Amino acid sequence: MPDASASGADASSASARNRQHNQGNQERKCTIEQKRAVLRIRSCKPTAFYEILEIQKTCTDAEVKKAYRKQSLLTHPDKNGHEHADEAFKMVSRAFSILGDKEKRDKFDRFGTDPDSRFQSQPQQNPFAGGFASRAAGGGGGQGMWEEDISPEEMFARFFGGGGPFGGGGGFDGGPQFVFNFGGGPGVRVHQFGGARPRARPRNPGQPEETSLFSTIMGLLPILLLFIFPLLSSMFSGGTTQSSTPSMVFDHPHPPLYTLERTMPTFGSKYYLNPQEVQSFTPSKLHTLDKKAEVILIQQLRLKCEDEIAHRDKLREAAQGWFYQNPEKMEVANSFDMPACRRMKNLPGV
């Protein structure tokens, strides 16, 4: 007959080991590749999104998704035991939230700043708005799949189809479901079938937002600046209708009207005026007009650059296709010449 005290000791030891395992006291480990990925990502700047995902600026949307899948699997804290894996994983998720959205990627490529920064002129928006869309089966209309303030873990779970590759429950409430991705076009197209809609974060249900008088005045301020102030200035200007800025052309003269050559003080570029329109201008007023010409040139180049970017994106979308990518069309899209964007980028001080 076995010793009762020995059996009790064995049971107590097994129970202690079981509690230790359940409490997560087991040793956390990481491979050399996982450690190298964490150290590389944390050495990048927070807004170096292309470097974080290890991709080129000319990469396609499919390559962005592929890079995110690789880096998130390497840095996910459930599989990577490095002490800074969580920080690296958040940086990877942040990079994908920008580069995976067409509008935010275009803004980042043009200005090099974080499109979601609070110091930008536009209000913060959902980092997945526009680039990610879903349609519930039979839902009758599109609904945003990604809710506001989504965490990196939630984005990871939804990107990999609910529970992610490491097991655990999905990010949605109730019911079987599956998610699959189609390449093609800007952004990521995610279609969800089955299951309930994602849980939205509570935002004081049943209580409408109050609109203060100050916010109302701030909303009307652009209208005041655009219409009322110019009207008042015209009323007190004695009724003069002559434009303060004469017409001008850039780079080359257009005879017989635009033949008077002037030089911009900062850019050094040439522009041409109609001599009859500026015959009464003083030297000081002409110098002010030279600076004004630089502002007008930048405005024209920016509009042309936006058209060039839109045309290049259409070429890339046509080359991407729904099921496979056309290499010849993609080469044409990537090599599309954008002279206005190139010139604006080379202007000093822009």
Side-chain angles (χ1 to χ4, degrees), residues 25-241:
N25 292 333
Q26 60 272 22
E27 182 181 1
R28 291 172 54 85
K29 298 180 180 179
C30 65
T31 64
I32 297 178
E33 183 181 7
Q34 290 174 332
K35 180 179 180 181
R36 185 183 299 114
V38 171
L39 296 178
R40 181 192 63 79
I41 293 171
R42 294 190 70 248
S43 66
C44 300
K45 294 182 179 180
T47 56
F49 301 132
Y50 288 101
E51 297 179 15
I52 292 174
L53 296 182
E54 277 193 317
I55 52 179
Q56 300 296 326
K57 193 173 183 180
T58 57
C59 67
T60 62
D61 297 329
E63 291 172 340
V64 173
K65 291 184 287 183
K66 182 178 179 181
Y68 167 71
R69 184 180 293 108
K70 174 184 176 182
Q71 299 300 330
S72 62
L73 288 174
L74 279 175
T75 58
H76 197 285
D78 286 355
K79 284 296 182 179
N80 190 335
H82 195 277
E83 57 180 348
H84 298 298
D86 184 69
E87 301 174 18
F89 177 70
K90 291 179 180 179
M91 293 177 67
V92 170
S93 300
R94 179 61 182 154
F96 179 65
S97 70
I98 298 300
L99 302 184
D101 186 293
K102 179 180 179 297
E103 294 182 1
K104 293 183 180 181
R105 181 179 177 182
D106 288 343
K107 291 180 181 179
F108 176 75
D109 290 343
R110 273 189 285 170
F111 307 112
T113 56
D114 188 347
D116 288 335
S117 174
R118 69 181 64 181
F119 300 106
Q120 298 292 329
S121 59
Q122 299 178 350
Q124 285 193 1
Q125 299 177 349
N126 180 2
F128 303 97
F132 301 85
S134 68
R135 295 185 182 271
Q143 294 289 342
M145 174 179 176
W146 305 97
E147 303 294 342
E148 295 182 356
D149 300 326
I150 184 172
S151 67
E153 289 290 345
E154 290 172 335
M155 181 183 71
F156 182 86
R158 298 179 188 183
F159 185 86
F160 285 95
F166 310 123
F172 302 100
D173 288 332
Q177 60 182 325
F178 62 91
V179 179
F180 60 92
N181 298 335
F182 281 131
V188 183
R189 302 186 181 183
V190 182
H191 299 262
Q192 172 187 345
F193 292 88
R197 292 186 56 199
R199 291 192 299 266
R201 299 183 181 273
R203 302 184 68 179
N204 296 330
Q207 296 182 0
E209 296 183 359
E210 299 181 357
T211 303
S212 63
L213 178 61
F214 177 76
S215 62
T216 303
I217 296 176
M218 293 302 295
L220 295 176
L221 184 59
I223 299 178
L224 297 175
L225 295 175
L226 288 175
F227 298 102
I228 298 181
F229 290 162
L231 179 61
L232 293 176
S233 62
S234 63
M235 292 175 58
F236 291 100
S237 62
T240 59
T241 59

